[in-house]
Amino acid sequence: MALNRPGPNLGKIAAAVGVSTATVSNALSGKGRVSADLVDTIRKVADELGYVPSQAGRALRTGRSGVLGLVLPDIANPLFPQIAQAMEAAASQAGYGVLIADSRGDVTTQTQAINRLIERGVDGMIIVPRRGTRIADIDCPVAVVDTPSTPGNTVSADHWGGGRQIVEHLGALGHKRLLLIGYDPASNVQNDRIGGMKSALMPDMSAETIWLKNLEQTQGAGCAMGLTGRVQQGFTAFAAVSDLHALRALTELQQAGIRVPEQVSVTGFDDLIFAPVITPALTTIHMNMATIADIAVAALARAIDATITTKPGDKTRKTGGTIVVAETSEVPMELVVRQSSGLPSILLSSQSEGTSVL
Amino acid sequence: MALNRPGPNLGKIAAAVGVSTATVSNALSGKGRVSADLVDTIRKVADELGYVPSQAGRALRTGRSGVLGLVLPDIANPLFPQIAQAMEAAASQAGYGVLIADSRGDVTTQTQAINRLIERGVDGMIIVPRRGTRIADIDCPVAVVDTPSTPGNTVSADHWGGGRQIVEHLGALGHKRLLLIGYDPASNVQNDRIGGMKSALMPDMSAETIWLKNLEQTQGAGCAMGLTGRVQQGFTAFAAVSDLHALRALTELQQAGIRVPEQVSVTGFDDLIFAPVITPALTTIHMNMATIADIAVAALARAIDATITTKPGDKTRKTGGTIVVAETSEVPMELVVRQSSGLPSILLSSQSEGTSVL
DNA sequence: ATGGGATGATTAATCGTTTAACCAACGCTA
DNA sequence: TAGCGTTGGTTAAACGATTAATCATCCCAT
């Protein structure tokens, strides 16, 4: 049967020019020794014929597929678009394709997804881990993108530093009592963000932390957070570890008639798509995904290029489990001040109240 | 050089069992004629050796990569996670991998992205088109997922029907004056949603449509929509073509002290991740992405299997531009009634006002 | 003039899988 | 027992690109 690809191959070009396929290959790759004008001729003919190299043939010969696997704990995560977009851009810039693997929140599914990627012959993987992810027994270079405190983390945003910035901002505005809103206490990222927030508290400031996941276990998913009570208790700022939870807090407060930012401030994390367009626009921490992706892909590419130099015939070679390291592992986050954070009502009451209505 | 893959290949299994590689291939694929017990032996040995077939070798021989390309107009679109997740699931179910290509909103970039996919040898593509997308000159099966009114659409949600459902719901609640909120008047999907909404208006109902993109061109991105004025004009329901815009409307109304759903109702589209957790939870239209993905992938797989039967050596074969068709092209959407829609204040005022406070 | 580098191209092997074509038995019928 | 279909396997040729090894020139210095 042997289904032929529609386009021409090296042999066709070689025949057209009147040289050997090896020369064509060398000319196009610029590797061997080919005279300058022959290179030109070959390039031109290749273009005319609309030649596109067969990745399959190349992959078979070189043992490299030119494809990276992107393993995500849950594609449904609202942050995923940013990650996928940045990784795809960085990878295609570096000449790689991106194969996605979603584990839909399940560890077993994740293992299967990783195996499928290996079967597809990816040259490397970018893994955004979930607690419980088994990375050890993957036999290709792996870049781990989580948070600096995670062992083996290759590169990530400086979540701790982001937390600091948020609280420094709120502190500068004069907020004293903060409610820190996390979702999953088992998440490294969220813990780092909260940890950073706490570390930036000035002596005259205090903070309490709630974890929505725990709350939802008793009160059901999407339950109210009881923020009205918190406001009465004197909390003036609500700092969430994600814009999603910040939005949840914001709408709950608005619904209760509490004015943001006049009475209390709300801040998020990640600068999700809705952050700038809601009213009031959300003060949040922006993540420079492009930089993170560039670093991750570059580190991966280096590791992949390194494996190519291993001696041929070394069948017992174990590139396995190599978690790639990058020179920079922490990418700073950026505070984006919008309308949802402002002077706390305590301070305003000493001035004429309501002057800073949006 | 010839970098060897770490694992065993067909030859290794063949040597271990003492048969030819062809027999091993036949045994594992179940194609040729191999005795039942020999199949068992081969399977067992293959397992023991941890054999994983080389996709590169297979791809080279069969001309099929086992990979589908997923072309998206803009990964940053909040609906993308759903699409990617569903497509990945459907594809891996059908034995395909998914290579992503993002065009970051640009048509030129999209063309390049499509070309990269072709170079990578994808067997087929799933394209969520953008106006201006050139599909004609793609030489592999293509499934187009947009909206039924788009020419060449393979499968999509019944956006028109979804629009109908929303307005029927609002009509049943007693709303008479509706503001329909679109973003981009050039979007087929949005036009169908709006069209469906209008088609469900009862004789005693009226609707006006605003397009945010036009608004933003004069007033800047993320500008206010002036909904307070609309409420004063007597509009009691705001139906957006996306949860994102519904959220924008909702927060703007809440900020202005207008109560939802007591005074006015707000509805969205797509059931984005924040829809159920905000206050009030958003009434919206849910899209059955899994079904759409299954249909798209199945149609694609059929077309791919069909090309394999074309005679070998047919170098001039043009599978090109074949937009795949599916038996079902419209998948119904589902109304999800939550808290953001309710009886309009006009009706409530005849009863005791404020009884239905959330 | 002749050995020795460059230079420029070719030859042929190889990656791992699939599959058409062929072949050797074996059993069965005529 | 010659002929024939069936069963169970082997052989060998692809697929397309890469690259080590080889070869043929030509040039220049000794």
Side-chain angles (χ1 to χ4, degrees):
Chain A
M1 182 147 332
L3 192 63
N4 309 313
R5 298 192 326 137
N9 51 20
L10 281 188
K12 196 146 283 178
I13 299 176
V17 180
V19 294
S20 70
T21 68
T23 302
V24 176
S25 174
N26 283 329
L28 294 177
S29 66
K31 286 205 169 173
R33 289 181 301 210
V34 188
S35 65
D37 41 353
L38 185 51
V39 167
D40 284 348
T41 321
I42 290 176
R43 285 247 164 81
K44 208 174 59 187
V45 174
D47 274 359
E48 280 168 9
L49 268 56
Y51 169 73
V52 291
S54 153
Q55 289 291 331
R58 178 174 294 170
L60 181 56
R61 177 63 229 251
T62 62
R64 307 206 291 146
S65 60
V67 173
L68 301 179
L70 178 58
V71 182
L72 296 148
D74 189 4
I75 291 190
N77 184 299
L79 185 55
F80 168 67
Q82 285 187 34
I83 302 179
Q85 185 167 48
M87 292 295 174
E88 198 271 340
S92 79
Q93 187 73 21
Y96 286 95
V98 176
L99 215 43
I100 56 172
D102 177 27
S103 35
R104 288 182 283 286
D106 186 44
V107 178
T108 318
T109 318
Q110 179 157 70
T111 310
Q112 292 168 356
I114 290 175
N115 286 336
R116 276 204 307 275
L117 286 181
I118 293 177
E119 287 178 23
R120 291 230 124 72
V122 296
D123 293 337
M125 288 193 204
I126 299 152
I127 299 190
V128 181
R130 187 170 194 72
R131 43 199 181 294
T133 304
R134 295 283 313 144
I135 295 179
D137 45 354
I138 300 176
D139 62 346
C140 72
V142 172
V144 176
V145 180
D146 194 27
T147 180
S149 73
T150 299
N153 184 67
T154 302
V155 60
S156 71
D158 177 15
H159 300 287
W160 184 280
R164 287 194 63 88
Q165 290 183 62
I166 276 289
V167 168
E168 283 165 1
H169 167 65
L170 291 172
L173 288 171
H175 291 274
K176 303 299 178 202
R177 292 200 67 188
L178 277 53
L179 187 71
L180 312 185
I181 303 171
Y183 182 82
D184 187 347
S187 157
N188 288 334
V189 170
Q190 294 184 30
N191 271 299
D192 282 359
R193 289 178 175 183
I194 297 255
M197 290 180 188
K198 286 181 178 166
S199 76
L201 289 171
M202 299 300 284
D204 59 341
M205 296 167 72
S206 69
E208 193 175 321
T209 308
I210 61 170
W211 295 100
L212 289 182
K213 196 173 184 183
N214 297 342
L215 209 66
E216 289 190 342
Q217 260 159 15
T218 60
Q219 312 212 14
C223 63
M225 298 155 67
L227 299 185
T228 316
R230 298 295 186 165
V231 173
Q232 287 166 353
Q233 288 169 30
F235 287 92
T236 63
F238 301 90
V241 296
S242 163
D243 285 354
L244 187 58
H245 312 126
L247 177 65
R248 203 166 154 175
L250 176 67
T251 53
E252 183 175 329
L253 289 164
Q254 284 187 318
Q255 186 74 359
I258 298 164
R259 301 195 61 79
V260 178
E262 292 84 350
Q263 283 180 265
V264 300
S265 291
V266 175
T267 65
F269 240 104
D270 291 340
D271 201 11
L272 297 184
I273 189 156
F274 54 78
V277 296
I278 59 176
T279 307
L282 199 57
T283 292
T284 188
I285 294 283
H286 184 84
M287 199 156 165
N288 194 343
M289 259 300 169
T291 306
I292 295 173
D294 283 344
I295 294 174
V297 169
L300 223 38
R302 252 202 318 281
I304 292 167
D305 287 344
T307 67
I308 207 179
T309 59
T310 54
K311 283 174 226 61
D314 181 5
K315 297 255 180 188
T316 61
R317 167 178 60 96
K318 259 292 172 200
T319 50
T322 29
I323 296 183
V324 161
V325 290
E327 65 294 345
T328 325
S329 68
E330 285 188 29
V331 176
M333 301 191 90
E334 187 191 347
L335 176 69
V336 181
V337 178
R338 297 205 180 93
Q339 282 85 49
S340 72
S341 59
L343 302 176
S345 48
I346 290 100
L347 285 185
L348 277 177
S349 59
S350 62
Q351 311 171 359
S352 70
E353 200 162 352
T355 49
S356 71
V357 166
L358 202 60
Chain B
M1 182 144 334
L3 192 62
N4 308 313
R5 296 195 326 140
N9 50 19
L10 281 188
K12 197 145 281 178
I13 299 175
V17 179
V19 294
S20 72
T21 68
T23 303
V24 176
S25 175
N26 283 329
L28 294 178
S29 67
K31 286 206 168 172
R33 289 180 301 209
V34 188
S35 65
D37 40 353
L38 185 50
V39 168
D40 284 348
T41 321
I42 290 176
R43 285 246 165 79
K44 209 172 61 189
V45 174
D47 275 358
E48 282 168 8
L49 268 56
Y51 169 73
V52 291
S54 153
Q55 289 291 332
R58 177 174 295 170
L60 181 55
R61 177 63 230 252
T62 62
R64 307 207 289 145
S65 60
V67 173
L68 301 179
L70 178 58
V71 181
L72 296 147
D74 189 4
I75 292 190
N77 184 299
L79 185 55
F80 169 66
Q82 286 186 34
I83 302 180
Q85 185 167 49
M87 291 297 173
E88 198 271 340
S92 78
Q93 188 73 22
Y96 286 95
V98 175
L99 215 44
I100 56 172
D102 176 28
S103 35
R104 289 183 282 286
D106 185 44
V107 178
T108 318
T109 317
Q110 181 158 70
T111 310
Q112 291 169 356
I114 290 176
N115 285 337
R116 277 204 306 274
L117 286 182
I118 293 177
E119 287 179 23
R120 292 230 123 72
V122 295
D123 292 339
M125 289 194 205
I126 299 150
I127 299 190
V128 181
R130 187 168 195 73
R131 44 199 180 294
T133 303
R134 295 282 314 143
I135 295 180
D137 45 354
I138 300 176
D139 61 346
C140 71
V142 172
V144 176
V145 180
D146 193 27
T147 180
S149 74
T150 299
N153 184 66
T154 303
V155 59
S156 70
D158 177 14
H159 300 286
W160 184 280
R164 288 194 63 87
Q165 289 184 60
I166 276 289
V167 168
E168 282 166 2
H169 167 65
L170 291 172
L173 287 172
H175 291 273
K176 302 300 177 201
R177 292 199 67 188
L178 277 53
L179 187 72
L180 312 184
I181 303 171
Y183 182 82
D184 188 345
S187 158
N188 287 335
V189 169
Q190 295 184 29
N191 271 299
D192 282 359
R193 289 178 175 182
I194 297 256
M197 290 180 188
K198 286 180 178 166
S199 77
L201 290 170
M202 299 300 285
D204 60 341
M205 296 168 71
S206 69
E208 192 175 321
T209 307
I210 61 170
W211 296 99
L212 289 183
K213 197 175 183 182
N214 297 344
L215 210 65
E216 290 191 341
Q217 260 158 14
T218 60
Q219 313 212 13
C223 63
M225 297 156 65
L227 299 185
T228 315
R230 297 295 186 166
V231 173
Q232 286 165 355
Q233 289 168 29
F235 287 93
T236 63
F238 301 90
V241 296
S242 163
D243 285 354
L244 186 58
H245 312 126
L247 177 64
R248 205 165 152 175
L250 176 66
T251 53
E252 183 176 328
L253 289 164
Q254 283 188 318
Q255 186 75 358
I258 297 163
R259 302 196 59 80
V260 179
E262 290 85 351
Q263 285 181 264
V264 300
S265 290
V266 175
T267 64
F269 241 103
D270 292 339
D271 201 11
L272 297 183
I273 189 156
F274 55 77
V277 298
I278 58 176
T279 306
L282 199 58
T283 292
T284 189
I285 293 283
H286 184 85
M287 199 158 167
N288 194 344
M289 259 300 170
T291 306
I292 294 173
D294 283 345
I295 294 173
V297 170
L300 223 37
R302 251 201 319 281
I304 293 168
D305 287 345
T307 67
I308 207 178
T309 58
T310 55
K311 284 175 226 59
D314 182 6
K315 296 254 182 189
T316 62
R317 164 182 62 96
K318 259 291 172 201
T319 50
T322 29
I323 296 183
V324 162
V325 290
E327 65 294 347
T328 324
S329 68
E330 284 188 29
V331 176
M333 301 192 90
E334 186 191 346
L335 176 69
V336 181
V337 178
R338 296 206 179 94
Q339 280 86 50
S340 71
S341 60
L343 302 178
S345 47
I346 291 100
L347 284 185
L348 276 176
S349 59
S350 63
Q351 309 170 0
S352 71
E353 199 161 353
T355 48
S356 71
V357 168
L358 201 60

